[in-house]
Amino acid sequence: MVTSVTSFGKNGVSDWLIQRVTAVIIGVYFVGLMGWLMANSGFDYATWKGFMGSLPMQIANTLMMFSVAAHTWIGLWGVTTDYLTSLQLGGSATGIRLLVQAVIILLTLVYLLWGLVMIWGGA
Amino acid sequence: MKVSIYRYNPELDNEPYMKEYDIDTQGKDLMVLDVLALVKEQDPSMGYRRSCREGVCGSDGMNINGKNGLACITPLSEVAPGVLEGRKPLILRPLPGLPVIRDLVVDMTMFYNQYEKVQPFLQNNTPAPAIERLQSPEDRAKLDGLYECILCACCSTSCPSFWWNPEKFLGPAALLQSYRFLADSRDQATEDRLGNLDDPFSLFRCHGIMNCVSVCPKGLNPTRAIGHIRSMLLERAV
Amino acid sequence: MSIRTVTFDAIVVGGGGAGMRASLQMAQSGFKTALISKVFPTRSHTVSAQGGITCAIASADPNDDWRWHMYDTVKGSDYIGDQDAIEYMCSVGPEAVFELEHMGLPFSRFENGRIYQRPFGGQSKGPDDPTQAARTCAAADRTGHALLHTLYQQNLKAGTQFYSEWYGIDLVTTGDGKVAGVIAASIETGEVVFFKAKATVFATGGAGRIYSSTTNALINTGDGIGMALRAGLPVQDIEMWQFHPTGIAGAGTLVTEGCRGEGGYLINKDGERFMERYAPNAKDLAGRDVVARAMMMEILDGRGCGPNGDHVHLKLDHLGEEVLHSRLPGICELSKTFGHADPVKEPIPVVPTCHYMMGGIPTNIHGQAIRLSGGHEGEKEYVDGLFAVGEVACVSVHGANRLGGNSLLDLVVFGRAAGLYIEEALRQGMEQAEPNSDDMDRALSRLRRWEESSDGESVADLRQDLQSTMQNAFGVFRKGDLMADGVKKVAELRERIGKAHLADKSQTFNTARIEALELDNLLEVAQATAVAADSRTESRGAHSRYDFPDRDDENWLCHSIYDPKTQKLGKRDVNFKPKTVDTFQPKVRTY
């Protein structure tokens, strides 16, 4: 068993499960959104704002933001641990990987917070 | 026909190179291993592994015109169009992703290490009966497609996930063996075995690329076995 | 040359079924055990065994009796198998097979959950009932593979120390004839090391590669026989080579006797099931020597198949796709790959092909190597420190002809027996022989010879000459004049091989060097075979002569013993004294 690293959840199963569940959430969200767009062709800004400002959509958007963040992190963590390893980069691999991962975390958190502010900020 | 072979002897060469041989196969649809034997008559210094020459010992896995396979059961006609006729060269390289010892011989230590990690032996602590342990034909049938693995490493060395993380990702061959014991009605170590596969690397680095399935010379399906283990892990988690 | 020494309680040379069964036994008992193998253990030739392991576990027939199995084996051996050893193998067999099952070997099963058994050649229900028995335990048609992998897995679990891809060069013997260990070289690095041990167990397998057409793996070069003969030790019944009836014509790959056990049969070019003429009762499931000879007679009489009439056909299509794919999946694969025939639709072209060496290093049931004091005519004595198990040994349970499925049983029963014996002997304090520098030099001399060679003939050419000589003069049927000529040619080959050249002297994974060292061993086995075959003036089991067509119990109801020092053949008594049953007296052998 490889114990030195976990990405997000407590083990591989939860990572895998989170990745799949968030993918489903993202998928359902977009299908729903497409449905709304098709049903309301030619809508104006007010309709859009009303729709997005409604409580169900606020909840859906929040869920969506968290899902994207989690999905992104697990996915990109996988990518970095595949490609940014000592096999490719030699001794400095761990440092580079941690740096890249830190940047990813930071960006993800910023986007997440920014998104939450937009959703619940009441503007 | 032209045969192009990856050559590297660490005592003589600074880096590997491809060497061309002209081999007379008399137009016969020889196995790649037969061609290698002809090359070796011409150049005894060319090194490769071989043993059973009938596809059951797993010694002569190599990369044949870009695809991993066993030299002894790969006829020239199946390598690529034009190879048998001599219009295209036969190109032989060592299995990718493992350190080369010499020529077509790779160091398989990493591969064997991963095999050993899955505790590839039956575990059953109940006292053995005076005769065999009984097993129904249906339960025995669950081992078909699993126990036949010959450890040739064609699958694991064609797997990108194994290339990237050969020490952390167990690779298709080891995981197939892991499932061979998980699926055995006589084995009792299921919990322990699953516990050891539960991290993000050992099993979950399988991305379903399925190179393993397309190269397995015995027609086995490691991806399916990995899927079965994943289901067991999920069931265990919920 | 000063070399590194590593010390163990016991070393096993050879990583096939016998070697790994022995090492498992010793490793489990906690003794410091090493296993040296020239290939990674699961690449050993045991992996190619297909049909099964014959043993009276009373699964197919609840009334089955190991004594019936013993009778079959004695009869199959044409009465020169040692009856005490056969008794041991057949009676201990079930225990050894159940152990394998407990280790996880994935045997095929009957509906009631017991191990599947299929009929094999030469199986009856005892001296009074020639009914065909079904006594061969099988894991589909991959029993050897399943067995070898299971044993490797158990050795991993037991913590055996493996030296994979190390090649045994020669035995280290002391002046007083004791064995102190073995010199071996790492194939990967070229390093030469002295493996010093109280017990050295040879499990180096057969030497089918002395023939140009063989079912044997390319690695079956008789390394153990070569080492023993160079150390001045004798070999027994080495003229007895089994030609398996069904090697795929042209390729030489094996098609299991289990095909005929499942109901397949042989036909000639007229479509006639010719075995009915040669063995009216057992037909296609007569002893292998009988079937192989019948096939050759058909071919020689012009009833062979194919444009050259040089093979016969094994018909299986009447068994149906389902049976073939469930019981004989490996055969379907092999036949398509090497015989260009899908057994579901068409017969497989087959021809008798060299398969098994019944002879070998004479041992008792504990695997202790035997020599005769004062050369080939003296009293039996044991070689201190040396054991042999499996195909390299001649216990002898196979005599002049081995029954199908008995080799895997031989491996596990005697691998286990040797392990048990050594375990006990070590506990009681076994002595370590101490070699001096001359002893070491002797064991290193042939390696040095190759290393110092500067020109001469190539290994590949000499090997080819040797193999075709053996193929032509010592095949299924043997002729006095051809054999005498063969003996001479092999003697000449000894001269030529002694002057052959190894061009590549690099250290890293030098397979050219290994092939050169193997050639020495092929030569030793070939010469012993040639002399022994030429000297045994009778026909018995697999040894069939035109000039002496009959069995001669008066002169040859005995083992032959080839003495490498004199290059002459002596005789040794066969054991006719089993411990718990009556002797099976020699009878005319019909099927």
Side-chain angles (χ1 to χ4, degrees), chain C residues 331-390:
Chain C
I331 294 304
C332 293
E333 254 177 64
L334 278 175
S335 174
K336 279 188 260 186
T337 310
F338 291 101
H340 307 292
D342 181 355
V344 174
K345 300 189 196 111
E346 52 200 327
I348 312 175
V350 291
V351 68
T353 307
C354 169
H355 182 56
Y356 188 85
M357 173 177 82
M358 267 80 71
I361 299 171
T363 70
N364 65 3
I365 59 166
H366 307 299
Q368 290 178 280
I370 291 168
R371 74 176 141 220
L372 302 184
S373 61
H376 59 277
E377 275 165 350
E379 283 297 301
K380 172 177 101 172
E381 64 181 32
Y382 293 114
V383 182
D384 281 344
L386 183 65
F387 298 78
V389 289

Side-chain angles (χ1 to χ4, degrees), chain C residues 268-319:
Chain C
N268 60 20
K269 75 167 180 189
D270 306 321
E272 183 207 3
R273 187 175 180 183
F274 58 85
M275 278 313 298
E276 289 176 337
R277 275 189 277 121
Y278 296 90
N281 180 51
K283 301 189 183 80
D284 295 85
L285 288 175
R288 283 180 178 172
D289 55 335
V290 175
V291 181
R293 274 195 293 276
M295 292 166 72
M296 288 311 291
M297 304 275 273
E298 291 299 300
I299 291 167
L300 294 172
D301 287 351
R303 288 190 295 277
C305 306
N308 303 321
D310 56 1
H311 58 266
V312 298
H313 280 149
L314 173 62
K315 187 172 145 54
L316 293 170
D317 55 318
H318 57 286
L319 300 178

Side-chain angles (χ1 to χ4, degrees), chain B residues 15-28:
Chain B
E15 42 185 61
Y17 59 99
M18 299 299 290
K19 186 166 176 186
E20 297 255 329
Y21 296 91
D22 224 338
I23 298 296
D24 181 13
T25 57
Q26 301 172 330
K28 285 189 219 156

Side-chain angles (χ1 to χ4, degrees), chain C residues 165-214:
Chain C
E165 297 186 329
W166 282 71
Y167 183 73
I169 293 171
D170 256 322
L171 273 174
V172 178
T173 52
T174 57
D176 52 353
K178 290 177 178 155
V179 169
V182 76
I183 301 279
S186 160
I187 299 176
E188 186 182 333
T189 65
E191 190 196 10
V192 178
V193 168
F194 172 35
F195 286 81
K196 187 175 173 183
K198 295 172 188 136
T200 301
V201 184
F202 271 1
T204 53
R209 285 284 151 186
I210 63 169
Y211 290 92
S212 36
S213 171
T214 173

